[in-house]
Amino acid sequence: FDEILMVHQGLDQLTSFDPKLAEIVEMIFFGGLSIATVAELHGVSEKTIDRKLDLARRWLRKNLSQSCPRAAAAHALANDHR
């Protein structure tokens, strides 16, 4: 439950930092949309969405690691072989 709460808080913080990044994360990870679909909806290339997603991952990893190092380490390991 703590990890879910942390992710929710992380997304709230990401929304404050950059609402578009948070929207992209939500569309892909919670909405189930493909990178191609999100790119089309935003009127940008898939490469741009990839870059924004990478930025969001790095931002969340950094901010989650400050809140809970153990959860951030597990998250980082899970995403290293994407």
Side-chain angles (χ1 to χ4, degrees), residues 1-79:
F1 180 76
D2 289 339
E3 285 87 9
I4 294 170
L5 183 59
M6 267 186 11
V7 170
H8 178 69
Q9 290 172 341
L11 281 173
D12 282 348
Q13 292 172 2
L14 181 60
T15 300
S16 296
F17 172 71
D18 188 328
K20 287 284 186 188
L21 284 181
E23 180 181 50
I24 289 168
V25 168
E26 290 173 352
M27 292 173 89
I28 291 172
F29 291 103
F30 299 105
L33 299 178
S34 69
I35 289 175
T37 301
V38 174
E40 185 177 331
L41 290 170
H42 283 267
V44 298
S45 70
E46 290 179 40
K47 191 82 166 160
T48 297
I49 295 300
D50 278 333
R51 284 191 301 269
K52 289 183 180 286
L53 212 64
D54 185 56
L55 174 62
R57 279 188 183 110
R58 286 184 283 122
W59 192 94
L60 285 166
R61 192 174 292 141
K62 176 184 174 206
N63 285 283
L64 288 177
S65 69
Q66 292 171 356
S67 300
C68 181
R70 189 187 74 195
H75 180 74
L77 287 173
N79 285 315

